[in-house]
Amino acid sequence: MKIVAICGAGVGTSGILKVNAERVLKRLDIDAEVTASDVAGVADAAADAQVILTSPELVDKIGKTFADVVIIENYFDLDELERKLEKALG
Amino acid sequence: MSLPPLPNSAIDLGADAGTWRDAVRLVGNALERSGATETSYTDRMIEVIDEFGAYIVIAPGLALAHARPGSDVLREGLAVVTLAEPVAFGHPHNDPVSVVLGLAVPTPETHVTTVAQLANVFNDASAIPAIAAATTPDEVRRVFDADN
């Protein structure tokens, strides 16, 4: 299982999303690899990913993908992340 | 493992910003004052938003301004600006913004521990209102130190 967190610069916000996604996956007892990437690298980074995590602002920039695109509004709300990840993975 | 230091020079409370550009410039100035960055880093933080939109508004009322590592990052830095009047960045859910964080990292590798610490601080929902309401740099530092 692979999950990719996407942001514009590939550092900073996607890192926060990655850290918090890992915490939620632990809570859900799901084994998955979470990586962070910038928008430019999304095609490569998400080629074999099941889920892409990102901001509502970046959805249009992601382009064609087979992964589930999960939009996170509040990056610090672990309950929102858990709810949305559980739905995408379940 | 801790966050970069937050000297008084990196904290600007109750600042006036008419637009999100002003707000990002203020936090860029704070990073510069604290010795973490050069002016071009501030320009690059604004360019990120011009290019990708307001995705840096990652929680209600909070923007995390940043750009890629570069030679204009002299050392890892963190800065905090609170706005007297919140401004809109154009985010569909999290506007308006009253707390702007500025983050500068010299290499992609160094940012991993820093963002983990930021997540520790802000996963507590009381952190953003506490910083927005702070009237002294010490009150801001207390919020960041609470988890460390």
Side-chain angles (χ1 to χ4, degrees):
Chain A
M1 169 93 58
K2 195 174 160 192
I3 297 171
V4 183
I6 301 290
C7 83
V11 295
T13 57
S14 58
I16 286 173
L17 208 43
K18 170 180 148 68
V19 167
N20 276 343
E22 285 167 345
R23 287 174 186 173
V24 164
L25 290 165
K26 208 171 187 180
R27 214 150 86 173
L28 293 170
D29 205 19
I30 293 173
D31 192 24
E33 180 199 357
V34 188
T35 57
S37 172
D38 60 3
V39 165
V42 63
D44 284 338
D48 57 346
Q50 277 77 32
V51 175
I52 295 175
L53 294 172
T54 194
S55 153
E57 283 284 286
L58 293 176
V59 174
D60 294 345
K61 301 215 162 48
I62 288 173
K64 262 198 174 151
T65 173
F66 291 109
D68 264 337
V69 178
V70 175
I71 298 167
I72 303 299
E73 291 166 14
N74 183 344
Y75 283 28
F76 295 116
D77 183 347
L78 294 183
D79 292 334
E80 177 187 348
L81 258 169
E82 179 172 335
R83 201 171 57 243
K84 291 180 174 175
L85 268 178
E86 213 174 6
K87 197 172 162 212
L89 299 173
Chain B
M1 281 207 297
S2 60
L3 287 164
L6 259 180
N8 288 357
S9 57
I11 300 176
D12 190 356
L13 301 178
D16 289 310
T19 65
W20 67 259
R21 274 173 211 282
D22 297 339
V24 174
R25 194 152 293 284
L26 285 171
V27 87
N29 292 347
L31 281 171
E32 220 181 305
R33 269 199 311 272
S34 72
T37 61
E38 295 170 347
T39 310
S40 61
Y41 187 75
T42 305
D43 299 332
R44 295 202 293 119
M45 291 197 295
I46 291 172
E47 281 165 21
V48 166
I49 304 169
D50 276 331
E51 185 173 359
F52 297 109
Y55 82 92
I56 65 154
V57 187
I58 54 175
L62 179 86
L64 175 62
H66 65 290
R68 286 187 174 84
S71 58
D72 48 10
V73 178
L74 307 174
R75 59 167 177 78
E76 193 175 20
L78 183 69
V80 178
V81 170
T82 65
L83 301 173
E85 293 292 332
V87 299
F89 274 61
H91 191 282
H93 305 284
N94 295 335
D95 271 342
V97 169
S98 52
V99 177
V100 185
L101 302 181
L103 177 68
V105 292
T107 67
E109 292 74 32
T110 44
H111 97 287
V112 179
T113 51
T114 302
V115 296
Q117 290 292 330
L118 279 179
N120 287 345
V121 172
F122 287 98
N123 284 349
D124 179 345
S126 68
I128 297 171
I131 293 171
T135 53
T136 67
D138 278 337
E139 288 174 58
V140 174
R141 280 188 287 263
R142 261 201 293 281
V143 176
F144 281 94
D145 290 341
D147 196 78
N148 296 317

